[in-house]
Amino acid sequence: MIKYFVLFLSFALLNACSWKNSFSADTLVQKDQELIKTQLAEKYHNTLNLEQALALALERNLDLQTARLKQEIAQIDKQIAIGNLLPQVNILADYTKNYDRLHLGVPTKNIGLPVNLALPILDSSFYAYSLNAQIPVFVPSLWFLVSAKDKGADIQTLLTSLSEKLITLSVMSEYFYLLSLASEENALQNEKSAAEELCRQAEISLRTESILPWEFEEAKAYFLSKELALQQNKREQQVANFNILQSLHIPFDVQVNFLPLEKEIFVLPDVEDCILQALEHSEKWKISALSLQIQEDIKKSAVSEFLPKIVLGGSMLNFDNNLLLEDNASFLSVFGMLSIFNGFKTVNEYRKALRQEKIAEIELIKEYWTLLTEIYSAHNTVQNAQELFAVAETNLKAQLGKFKQKQSEYKHESIDLKDYYEALKEYHEAISFHEKAYFQYRLAVGTLAVSMGESPYQWYMKDKPAKDNSAQNKTETDKK
C-alpha cells in the first residue's frame, strides 16, 4: 500500500511541476507581447520606417539574443581558463566514528608477562580538517589554453557582429518585399478594373449578338484571372507581413504600417577600395585569421606536453586523535611530472596539431579568394542595379506622360474606359517597376556592405545628419 502511495505522490508532483513550468512559459510570452504592444502604440504609433524597424530587429530578434548570450558564454570560458592559473584553495573536513575498536597486539611474554599487551590504535571517534592550496608554477599548456579561449571569445564577438549585419540585411529584404507587393497591388487593381470593363462590354456585345458566347466566356475568364492575381497578391502581402513581424518578434495580431523610403543613390567606391576595406573589417576574414592563431596555440600546447609540469602546493592539518602526540601539522610540496612514455599519445597529438594548423592555413587562403570574388560580384551587382534603376526612372517618366495624355483623351471621350484603365495599369506597373528596381539597388548595396564588414544600412548613412523620426513619420503618413 505504501508503495502505491509513493508512486501516486511522485506522479502528482511531476504533474504539478509540469503545470507550473507551462504556466511560467505562458506568462513570460504574454508579458513580452504586452510590452512590445505598448511600446509600438506609445512610441511609434504602430507606424515604422526602415530605420526604426531595423532598430527593433537588433533589439528583439531572438537569433541575435542567442548570439549575444553565446558571446557572453565565450567570455566566461575565457575567465574559467584564466582561473586555472590562479591558486586553488580547498577546505577539507572529516568526522569518523569507530564502532570496532582496533587494537595492536604487543608481544610481552619475552619480558615475563603472561599474555600479550593490547594497545588501542584509534579513538572511538575523531575529526580532522585541513586547508590545502596549490598553484601551477610551470604548466605551459594552461597558458596556451588561455590564449586560445581569448581568441575564441574574439571569434564569438565577430560572429555576433556578423549576425547583426545579416539580420539587418534580412529585415531590409523583407521590408522591401512587402513594399514591392504593395506597389504591385495598385497595378493589379487597375488590371482587374480594365478586365471588368472589357467583360462588361463583351456582355453587351453578346446581348446584341455581336460576339459568340465563347468569346464572352474568354473575356470572363480573363477578368477572373486578374481577380485571382489580385487575391494572390493580398495573400502574399499577409505572409510577407508575418515574416517581418516574426523577425521583429512582434505578435501577429498587431497591425503595423511600414512607411515607404526616400530614394537616394550613393557614391560607390572603387572595387580596389572595397577590397582593402574588406580585408580590414570583414568578420569572416578575421575569423579565419583567428582560427589559424588558435591552431598555432593548440600546436604549442601539444609541444608543451613534452616539457615537465611543476605545481607548488601546501596544506595545514588539524585532528583530535589523542593517540598521536601532535594534533596539527603543515606541509609544503613541489610536485613535478615529466612524461616519458604514454603510448605515443603526445607525439600523435602533436602530429594532429600540425595538420590542423595546415588546414587552417588553407582555409585562410580559401577565404581570401572567396572574399575577393564576393567583392567583385557584389560591386558589379550594385552597378547593374543602379543602371536598372536609371532605366526604371526614365520609363516612369514616359509612362507618366502617356497616362496624362490618356487621361486627357478620356475626359474628351476620345477613348473608352477600358483604354483609360489600361493606361492607368501601365502607369502603376511603371511605378512598381521603379520601386522594385530601387529596392534591388538598396539590397545590392547592403550585400556589398556586409562583404566589406560594414552595416548594410548604416554604411552609406555615416556622413548624413540624423533625422527626427517623429517628424519623418508624420510626413510619410501625410504622403500616404
Side-chain angles (χ1 to χ4, degrees):
M1 187 68 182
I2 296 177
K3 177 181 179 181
Y4 291 115
F5 177 78
V6 171
L7 289 175
F8 174 79
L9 182 60
S10 301
F11 181 77
L13 290 175
L14 287 174
N15 284 339
C17 293
S18 300
W19 175 83
K20 183 177 179 181
N21 291 337
S22 176
F23 177 78
S24 300
D26 293 342
T27 304
L28 180 63
V29 173
Q30 184 178 5
K31 183 178 179 181
D32 180 73
Q33 290 182 351
E34 292 298 329
L35 179 64
I36 186 58
K37 288 180 180 179
T38 303
Q39 183 180 4
L40 284 171
E42 296 180 356
K43 184 176 180 181
Y44 301 106
H45 306 290
N46 286 358
T47 302
L48 297 174
N49 58 24
L50 178 58
E51 184 176 359
Q52 293 167 340
L54 294 177
L56 275 179
L58 294 179
E59 176 186 352
R60 295 184 51 79
N61 186 270
L62 298 180
D63 293 332
L64 282 182
Q65 294 181 31
T66 302
R68 293 185 181 115
L69 289 174
K70 289 182 179 179
Q71 180 181 347
E72 294 177 7
I73 291 174
Q75 292 291 338
I76 295 173
D77 286 338
K78 173 186 172 183
Q79 297 299 324
I80 293 174
I82 294 176
N84 294 327
L85 298 175
L86 302 179
Q88 307 293 320
V89 181
N90 301 305
I91 295 178
L92 303 177
D94 175 68
Y95 174 79
T96 301
K97 178 69 174 178
N98 182 20
Y99 290 99
D100 297 324
R101 296 180 61 85
L102 301 180
H103 293 76
L104 178 65
V106 179
T108 57
K109 292 183 179 181
N110 295 332
I111 59 176
L113 296 177
V115 294
N116 292 337
L117 181 64
L119 298 178
I121 298 178
L122 296 175
D123 292 340
S124 60
S125 65
F126 60 92
Y127 67 86
Y129 62 88
S130 64
L131 178 66
N132 300 329
Q134 62 180 12
I135 182 173
V137 177
F138 184 80
V139 185
S141 60
L142 297 180
W143 309 341
F144 301 123
L145 176 63
V146 172
S147 178
K149 291 294 183 180
D150 183 36
K151 296 178 179 66
D154 292 339
I155 286 178
Q156 194 60 52
T157 301
L158 291 171
L159 287 174
T160 303
S161 175
L162 181 60
S163 297
E164 291 177 351
K165 293 168 183 175
L166 293 177
I167 291 296
T168 299
L169 187 62
S170 176
V171 173
M172 288 174 62
S173 176
E174 294 168 349
Y175 193 100
F176 296 157
Y177 181 60
L178 182 61
L179 294 183
S180 297
L181 292 174
S183 67
E184 279 183 0
E185 183 181 0
N186 292 328
L188 293 173
Q189 182 64 51
N190 288 301
E191 281 191 33
K192 176 187 173 183
S193 300
E196 185 177 12
E197 178 62 22
L198 176 64
C199 190
R200 187 184 67 82
Q201 294 178 6
E203 185 178 7
I204 295 174
S205 299
L206 179 64
R207 291 175 183 176
T208 60
E209 298 183 352
S210 300
I211 62 174
L212 297 174
W214 69 266
E215 292 178 297
F216 170 71
E217 294 297 332
E218 186 179 42
K220 187 177 179 180
Y222 179 72
F223 165 72
L224 292 176
S225 68
K226 297 305 177 184
E227 187 177 32
L228 176 61
L230 181 61
Q231 293 300 324
Q232 288 177 339
N233 174 271
K234 291 181 179 180
R235 295 188 190 102
E236 290 178 3
Q237 284 192 61
Q238 186 179 26
V239 174
N241 184 69
F242 285 165
N243 287 335
I244 191 171
L245 290 180
Q246 181 183 8
S247 296
L248 302 181
H249 193 36
I250 296 176
F252 289 166
D253 60 344
V254 178
Q255 182 63 38
V256 180
N257 297 320
F258 295 99
L259 299 177
L261 303 177
E262 296 181 2
K263 295 178 177 58
E264 300 174 272
I265 299 297
F266 310 101
V267 178
L268 181 64
D270 295 334
V271 65
E272 292 80 8
D273 295 334
C274 294
I275 292 173
L276 292 176
Q277 190 165 352
L279 293 174
E280 183 178 358
H281 297 100
S282 173
E283 287 88 356
K284 291 189 290 185
W285 171 251
K286 291 181 179 180
I287 288 172
S288 297
L290 286 172
S291 298
L292 176 57
Q293 296 177 20
I294 289 176
Q295 294 304 324
E296 292 177 352
D297 289 333
I298 293 176
K299 182 186 69 174
K300 293 177 182 177
S301 178
V303 173
S304 69
E305 293 299 323
F306 294 100
L307 302 176
K309 299 179 179 62
I310 301 176
V311 178
L312 179 64
S315 61
M316 297 178 60
L317 307 177
N318 191 289
F319 40 84
D320 70 336
N321 192 341
N322 295 324
L323 298 179
L324 299 177
L325 297 179
E326 295 83 4
D327 59 355
N328 58 71
S330 59
F331 302 92
L332 180 63
S333 64
V334 177
F335 173 78
M337 184 184 73
L338 176 62
S339 177
I340 302 299
F341 179 77
N342 59 357
F344 302 106
K345 177 182 177 181
T346 304
V347 175
N348 288 324
E349 288 288 346
Y350 175 69
R351 294 174 60 200
K352 176 182 175 181
L354 287 178
R355 285 153 179 80
Q356 288 178 333
E357 183 183 24
K358 187 62 178 179
I359 292 174
E361 291 177 356
I362 295 174
E363 291 294 334
L364 181 62
I365 297 174
K366 181 180 176 181
E367 181 59 36
Y368 174 79
W369 292 111
T370 301
L371 184 62
L372 292 185
T373 304
E374 287 182 356
I375 293 297
Y376 275 107
S377 177
H379 195 274
N380 290 335
T381 302
V382 172
Q383 290 179 322
N384 294 336
Q386 185 172 344
E387 293 167 359
L388 180 64
F389 178 67
V391 172
E393 278 194 314
T394 304
N395 179 63
L396 179 60
K397 293 177 182 178
Q399 292 299 327
L400 176 60
K402 179 181 178 180
F403 170 68
K404 288 182 177 180
Q405 177 185 348
K406 294 296 182 181
Q407 191 177 36
S408 177
E409 292 176 357
Y410 177 70
K411 287 181 179 179
H412 294 86
E413 298 182 352
S414 300
I415 60 174
D416 58 9
L417 188 60
K418 174 181 173 297
D419 293 333
Y420 170 76
Y421 278 130
E422 187 68 23
L424 184 60
K425 178 207 71 171
E426 292 176 355
Y427 171 57
H428 280 289
E429 284 179 344
I431 294 177
S432 179
F433 176 57
H434 184 256
E435 293 283 332
K436 292 178 182 178
Y438 181 70
F439 297 154
Q440 184 177 350
Y441 165 73
R442 286 291 294 266
L443 284 177
V445 173
T447 303
L448 176 61
V450 172
S451 299
M452 294 166 56
E454 297 287 347
S455 170
Y457 179 74
Q458 304 245 342
W459 171 48
Y460 38 79
M461 306 292 289
K462 286 181 178 178
D463 300 329
K464 299 185 64 175
K467 295 182 180 180
D468 185 359
N469 289 333
S470 60
Q472 182 181 359
N473 286 347
K474 184 176 183 305
T475 302
E476 297 290 352
T477 305
D478 294 340
K479 289 181 181 179
K480 191 172 181 182

